[in-house]
Amino acid sequence: MGGDIVILMLGVLIVLILLGVHIGVALALCSGVGVFIMFRGNTEAALSIMSNTAYEAIRKDVFVVIPLFVLMGDFIWRSGAAGDLYRICDRSLRRLPGRLAIATIAGNTVFAAVTGVSIASAAAFSRIAYPEMMKLGYKQTFALGAVAGSACLGMLIPPSVLLIVWAILTEMSVGALFIAGILPGIILALLFSGYVIIAAIINPKIAPAYDKPLVNPTPEEKRSELIGGLGILALISVVIGGIWLGWFTPTEAAAFGVICALVIGIIKGMRLNDILESMYQAGRTTAPIMFLLIAAQMYSRLLALGGGVNYIQGLFIDSQLSPLMVIMLMGLIWLILGMLIDSISIILLTVPIFAPLAIALGYDPIAFAIFGILVIEAGLLSPPFGLLVYTVKGAVPDPTATLKKIFIGSAPYFLLILVAAVLVLAFPILATLLPSALM
């Protein structure tokens, strides 16, 4: 009976999402109705369970990590440190083919370690890197692809909001998932860089060689860049190193990170209005996520009460599919959903069902989490939704940069993300090595 109700509510949930109902509203509504039906119309019992679930969800201190990391990244972006980082990467990599695209990838890799949201990276480097690549005669689709594709690194390299949400839903260690994302993130950045170098060697016209730095900075500009660059490295050391060495919990590391980012911002010239706007922006970014997480906890309670996970596991087991085929089917579902809804919504909808099923099939939960994040991350570049593509379109100061060109340019990065996902699935040690050695 409970399993049938869960399946019915999942069907209603999908219909509501396709009709354009907000994912949080759809989750909460279906969860409430499903629990109400299970308790045979006992309104008081259903409301009690749902209200307690919402209260218990929001009082978890791990939820504080999300707004803190978002605020930390916004401080760094508004301080201009991201631009400093890009120029430092440009001068360091100027002998490589396609160096500005590689500098964009390198900058995004480091910037990802101080912001948990890919959108922030996409917006920042659309304004910083794209104009410089166009000045030097880079092919437009190639330049747009480098910006959009490399921004995906923000969802894998810690501190990642997606990893935090996954950890909350599965009750895994946020710190362990953070550490697990480092090596696959580096591998993905190397894959991106390898593609750029090979493409630039094969067809030099898409990325003309230019071995001089973008600008010859004055001593004052060099000092400012040094503050920004060293500040970001210090911030990474505080956040990731503190968690790595066990000095901080993720929540404590996020709090220290915000303080350090604020200090960097003030040194770089941020004023009170900038600080207040960063706080407002962090609130605007975080509030919808928190609402979604509360609704997702209700959804998880519905699955638990109705035995939904066991019911769906039984369907997969009875289908006689091999474990690998089941995982591939999950990946296909993630890619299809990526064409329709955002990454956090995908995690909220599927992870409460897929994660226990993957563990039951014998897959390591940490490796499966990184595999899932990579596949879902690819959805950020897939049409017609492609959240990062739309972000780049909105942020690039060029009306000729059409959505079609951005999708075409980011297609190789989409494929490389899937390659990295397959590598993690085939070699789980890529994700489990660092957590097992350090946590």
Side-chain angles (χ1 to χ4, degrees):
M1 176 63 178
D4 295 335
I5 294 173
V6 169
I7 296 299
L8 173 64
M9 288 299 104
L10 286 177
V12 173
L13 179 62
I14 293 170
V15 171
L16 289 175
I17 292 171
L18 293 177
L19 290 175
V21 177
H22 187 275
I23 182 70
V25 174
L27 280 170
L29 182 61
C30 289
S31 301
V33 172
V35 171
F36 177 77
I37 295 173
M38 284 182 191
F39 282 85
R40 302 182 184 279
N42 189 329
T43 305
E44 185 177 347
L47 287 176
S48 176
I49 288 176
M50 289 294 98
S51 61
N52 285 337
T53 301
Y55 174 72
E56 290 299 324
I58 201 65
R59 69 193 292 264
K60 292 179 181 177
D61 60 356
V62 71
F63 276 57
V64 181
V65 173
I66 297 175
L68 288 175
F69 279 134
V70 171
L71 179 59
M72 182 177 74
D74 203 86
F75 279 155
I76 290 297
W77 175 65
R78 290 181 190 277
S79 71
D84 296 335
L85 178 65
Y86 178 69
R87 289 185 289 274
I88 291 171
C89 290
D90 165 61
R91 290 198 293 273
S92 302
L93 303 168
R94 62 186 178 184
R95 296 187 181 279
L96 292 176
R99 67 179 175 85
L100 285 187
I102 296 177
T104 303
I105 294 168
N108 263 310
T109 302
V110 180
F111 190 58
V114 294
T115 179
V117 185
S118 286
I119 294 175
S121 298
F125 284 88
S126 293
R127 300 186 184 99
I128 296 168
Y130 173 77
E132 299 298 339
M133 284 189 273
M134 296 309 296
K135 283 180 187 176
L136 297 187
Y138 276 55
K139 186 178 179 181
Q140 190 177 32
T141 54
F142 187 74
L144 291 169
V147 173
S150 59
C152 284
L153 291 164
M155 288 302 185
L156 182 63
I157 295 176
S160 160
V161 169
L162 289 190
L163 288 174
I164 296 170
V165 173
W166 190 298
I168 290 172
L169 290 178
T170 58
E171 298 185 352
M172 294 175 66
S173 165
V174 174
L177 284 186
F178 275 5
I179 301 302
I182 294 175
L183 186 55
I186 293 173
I187 291 172
L188 186 58
L190 292 175
L191 287 173
F192 287 168
S193 300
Y195 157 70
V196 168
I197 292 172
I198 292 171
I201 291 174
I202 293 175
N203 184 7
K205 292 182 180 180
I206 64 174
Y210 188 77
D211 61 0
K212 295 181 180 178
L214 293 175
V215 294
N216 291 311
T218 64
E220 184 178 342
E221 289 172 337
K222 281 186 177 181
R223 185 165 56 252
S224 178
E225 287 181 7
L226 187 63
I227 292 171
L230 292 179
I232 288 179
L233 292 178
L235 196 56
I236 295 171
S237 300
V238 168
V239 175
I240 307 302
I243 296 173
W244 188 323
L245 297 173
W247 294 347
F248 308 128
T249 66
T251 306
E252 293 166 345
F256 275 98
V258 168
I259 295 172
C260 292
L262 178 59
V263 171
I264 294 170
I266 292 173
I267 294 174
K268 291 282 294 176
M270 282 180 64
R271 295 296 177 257
L272 180 60
N273 287 341
D274 298 317
I275 296 170
L276 291 176
E277 184 57 34
S278 288
M279 292 179 178
Y280 295 148
Q281 184 57 45
R284 287 191 289 266
T285 302
T286 304
I289 297 174
M290 303 297 270
F291 174 66
L292 285 170
L293 286 171
I294 293 171
Q297 294 293 332
M298 295 180 179
Y299 170 61
S300 298
R301 179 59 62 90
L302 171 66
L303 294 176
L305 291 174
V309 174
N310 293 332
Y311 185 83
I312 295 172
Q313 282 183 5
L315 292 177
F316 276 103
I317 293 172
D318 293 341
S319 68
Q320 303 300 314
L321 292 173
S322 67
L324 181 59
M325 288 298 296
V326 173
I327 298 296
M328 291 295 101
L329 181 58
M330 292 180 189
L332 179 61
I333 292 172
W334 279 327
L335 288 177
I336 294 173
L337 288 176
M339 300 176 186
L340 303 171
I341 58 178
D342 64 277
S343 300
I344 291 178
S345 298
I346 294 172
I347 290 178
L348 298 178
L349 282 172
T350 60
V351 167
I353 297 174
F354 287 1
L357 178 57
I359 294 172
L361 293 173
Y363 286 91
D364 183 90
I366 291 179
F368 179 74
I370 300 303
F371 166 78
I373 294 295
L374 281 165
V375 177
I376 294 170
E377 187 178 8
L380 294 171
L381 301 175
S382 60
F385 192 81
L387 181 61
L388 280 183
V389 172
Y390 283 87
T391 301
V392 171
K393 168 62 179 172
V396 163
D398 183 356
T400 67
T402 62
L403 288 173
K404 180 180 178 181
K405 291 177 180 178
I406 304 172
F407 276 121
I408 291 173
S410 59
Y413 297 88
F414 172 84
L415 296 175
L416 289 173
I417 292 172
L418 295 182
V419 169
V422 171
L423 287 175
V424 170
L425 188 63
F427 306 102
I429 193 171
L430 295 176
T432 60
L433 178 63
L434 292 181
S436 62
L438 302 171
M439 300 299 291

